[in-house]
Amino acid sequence: MALILHAGKSNKNAYKALIAAEYAGVQVQLAPNFEMGVSNKTPEFLKMNPIGKVPVLETPEGPVFESNAIARYVARVKGDNTLYGSSSIDYGHIEQWIDFSSLEIDANIGRWFAPRKGFGPYLPPAEEAAISSLKRALGALNTHLATNTYLVGHTVTLADIITTCNLYLGFTNIMIKSFTSEFPHVERYFWTLVNQPNFRKILGQVKQADAVPPVPSAKKPAQPKESKPKAKDEPKKEAKKEPEKPKVEEEEEEAPKPKPKNPLDLLPPSKMILDEWKRLYSNTKTNFREVAIKGFWDMYDPEGYSLWFCDYKYNDENTVSFVTMNKVGGFLQRMDLARKYAFGKMLVIGSQPPFKVKGLWLFRGPEIPKFVMDECYDMELYEWSKVDISDENQKERVNQMIEDHEPFEGESLLDAKCFK
């Protein structure tokens, strides 16, 4: 008799049990015509899981809910497989990695991904904390996998199945190549597992996300129309039903309105071509001062562009190095809206906390673009001052920030990031 799994076909938590079933030789079938939000609200379903969460496994002995518990049940129902290892220590390590991947990887992927899909409020500091915690977890996993093909022993165990399903959500939805490339052993592990026949039968062809989902735009709630208070005991009047208007078969669609141009695109042409400077910066590997810096000043157009220094207002809070660097990385990520009109350098300075954060930005136009000030909340966390290029000291400071000169203002550089 087949076990019945109540869940949608694309539920990554259901995949855990389905893949375990392939390895254990257990017959598990998805409940037919399952519809999330409908099927899991029925009285029959709520008898199996009173809070209506999926997946739920229907067995001859009774229902089992919570995806890891379901996968454990499926892995052990026959008991003639190696999904739980071959010794007590194997069992302990398998449970260890199941908990680790659930609490450290799956939870933080969810905290990063869910708000970007509109499932909860988007809070930049919370996102930075989630990404920081996820990177820490992936770093630990990467270290383990540097000398291990699988998490425990030399074959696939339940720990590999659950961890891979947890990674699947991240790889396919939000963890793009530039993010996962920091963890090459995790990448090798994930792609090895998802291409195993028993995984591929359930997951199909897996494709990595090529972009991080955008932050959902905040929509103002519609204001309810004011209604006049009804007189006491006033009988309700039935609304008159208007006859339905016949539908016009060939109703012309309104032509889409052209997208308004960015005000920066309406500025007079500049002799400085920003992409040419970015290419020069990226391609100069030697004699940086003589080639790139000289080239910058040859190209620079003070009428078409402006240079700005920025200093973080709350450096006393920068007591943890990786948190400070992630803070800067988050700022640069949110500046993506200005990539066509800006170039920036951000320095994290100091060998001991608190670390200082300073930056240099080149913007199209004579002022910092208004849409950047309005839409990137980080801007107000910095003091901004316009560079006076007639001042040789300020000009030299620009040079040093572009080339990551060390020491910078008498201190070592902890990190230097470029926005281009």
Side-chain angles (χ1 to χ4, degrees):
M1 177 182 172
L3 304 172
I4 306 300
L5 187 63
H6 296 261
K9 293 179 180 179
S10 60
N11 186 319
K12 66 94 176 169
N13 285 326
Y15 294 158
K16 300 173 186 177
L18 294 172
I19 296 169
E22 293 297 321
Y23 277 95
V26 176
Q27 194 177 359
V28 176
Q29 294 178 353
L30 284 170
N33 305 318
F34 182 89
E35 186 180 350
M36 189 64 189
V38 178
S39 304
N40 60 314
K41 302 297 183 185
T42 63
E44 295 77 16
F45 187 93
L46 295 174
K47 284 181 183 177
M48 295 188 291
N49 185 349
I51 61 174
K53 282 190 172 184
V54 297
V56 170
L57 184 69
E58 193 176 346
T59 82
E61 296 85 17
V64 180
F65 57 81
E66 294 298 333
S67 62
N68 288 350
I70 294 169
R72 289 182 175 104
Y73 175 89
V74 171
R76 300 179 72 170
V77 71
K78 276 193 171 180
D80 57 352
N81 59 73
T82 59
L83 289 181
Y84 258 106
S86 56
S87 66
S88 296
I89 191 65
D90 282 353
Y91 172 82
H93 285 157
I94 289 166
E95 288 293 332
Q96 161 194 292
W97 285 110
I98 289 173
D99 286 353
F100 177 87
S101 71
S102 300
L103 299 172
E104 303 295 339
I105 294 176
D106 188 44
N108 286 306
I109 289 173
R111 291 185 188 111
W112 180 14
F113 177 62
R116 283 183 172 265
K117 297 301 288 183
F119 303 115
Y122 175 78
L123 302 170
E127 178 177 86
E128 288 179 26
I131 294 171
S132 175
S133 297
L134 177 60
K135 284 188 172 184
R136 183 172 177 235
L138 293 176
L141 181 61
N142 194 65
T143 299
H144 179 74
L145 293 172
T147 54
N148 294 277
T149 303
Y150 303 104
L151 290 175
V152 182
H154 302 289
T155 59
V156 171
T157 66
L158 189 61
D160 297 301
I161 294 171
I162 290 177
T163 299
T164 301
C165 288
N166 288 335
L167 288 169
Y168 175 87
L169 176 67
F171 268 86
T172 57
N173 288 282
I174 200 164
M175 287 163 38
I176 59 177
K177 177 64 179 175
S178 60
F179 180 89
T180 59
S181 61
E182 295 181 37
F183 314 101
H185 303 300
V186 175
E187 285 187 320
R188 182 266 306 160
Y189 170 79
F190 178 78
W191 293 114
T192 298
L193 268 292
V194 297
N195 283 296
Q196 297 295 308
N198 286 335
F199 280 81
R200 194 157 186 171
K201 183 177 178 180
I202 303 302
L203 302 177
Q205 181 71 42
V206 178
K207 182 178 179 295
Q208 187 164 10
D210 53 16
V212 175
V215 177
S217 57
K219 292 183 180 178
K220 293 183 180 179
Q223 294 294 326
K225 293 180 180 178
E226 292 184 9
S227 56
K228 294 180 180 179
K230 292 183 179 179
K232 192 175 180 180
D233 299 329
E234 183 182 345
K236 293 182 180 178
K237 294 180 181 178
E238 288 188 10
K240 290 183 181 179
K241 292 183 180 178
E242 292 186 8
E244 290 186 8
K245 294 180 181 178
K247 292 182 180 177
V248 181
E249 288 185 5
E250 296 183 359
E251 186 177 344
E252 291 186 5
E253 291 185 5
E254 186 180 348
K257 294 179 181 179
K259 189 177 178 181
K261 283 192 173 184
N262 189 302
L264 298 182
D265 294 328
L266 304 177
L267 292 174
S270 170
K271 71 172 187 176
M272 184 176 195
I273 309 300
L274 187 59
D275 284 342
E276 288 185 8
W277 156 240
K278 290 180 179 180
R279 277 194 296 272
L280 178 64
Y281 173 88
S282 299
N283 296 334
T284 304
K285 307 300 180 186
T286 58
N287 300 322
F288 196 87
R289 176 72 68 129
E290 293 76 13
V291 178
I293 300 296
K294 182 180 182 301
F296 174 79
W297 292 115
D298 288 344
M299 295 179 188
Y300 182 64
D301 171 19
E303 294 181 359
Y305 285 82
S306 56
L307 282 164
W308 297 80
F309 293 128
C310 66
D311 291 271
Y312 191 65
K313 294 178 182 178
Y314 310 105
N315 285 320
D316 56 326
E317 297 177 359
N318 298 332
T319 56
V320 180
S321 59
F322 77 89
V323 173
T324 305
M325 290 187 283
N326 286 339
K327 187 184 297 180
V328 173
F331 173 35
L332 297 186
Q333 186 181 33
R334 288 182 285 279
M335 281 293 287
D336 194 62
L337 76 169
R339 195 169 297 278
K340 181 181 174 183
Y341 310 102
F343 171 87
K345 290 300 298 283
M346 295 296 296
L347 307 181
V348 181
I349 303 162
S351 57
Q352 298 292 330
F355 304 101
K356 298 173 185 173
V357 177
K358 298 176 183 290
L360 168 74
W361 286 85
L362 172 72
F363 288 114
R364 181 75 166 100
E367 301 295 334
I368 299 174
K370 185 177 184 300
F371 76 93
V372 175
M373 297 297 292
D374 290 344
E375 297 183 37
C376 184
Y377 85 95
D378 303 74
M379 298 296 287
E380 64 186 28
L381 303 178
Y382 292 82
E383 295 285 357
W384 294 88
S385 58
K386 197 169 187 178
V387 177
D388 179 2
I389 61 172
S390 65
D391 183 332
E392 288 300 321
N393 290 330
Q394 290 193 40
K395 199 170 177 180
E396 175 57 23
R397 191 170 189 254
V398 170
N399 296 343
Q400 291 188 11
M401 297 185 86
I402 292 175
E403 67 176 340
D404 305 335
H405 185 275
E406 192 172 13
F408 180 76
E409 298 181 342
E411 296 187 81
S412 59
L413 293 182
L414 176 66
D415 192 26
K417 297 183 184 294
C418 181
F419 178 88
K420 63 182 191 298

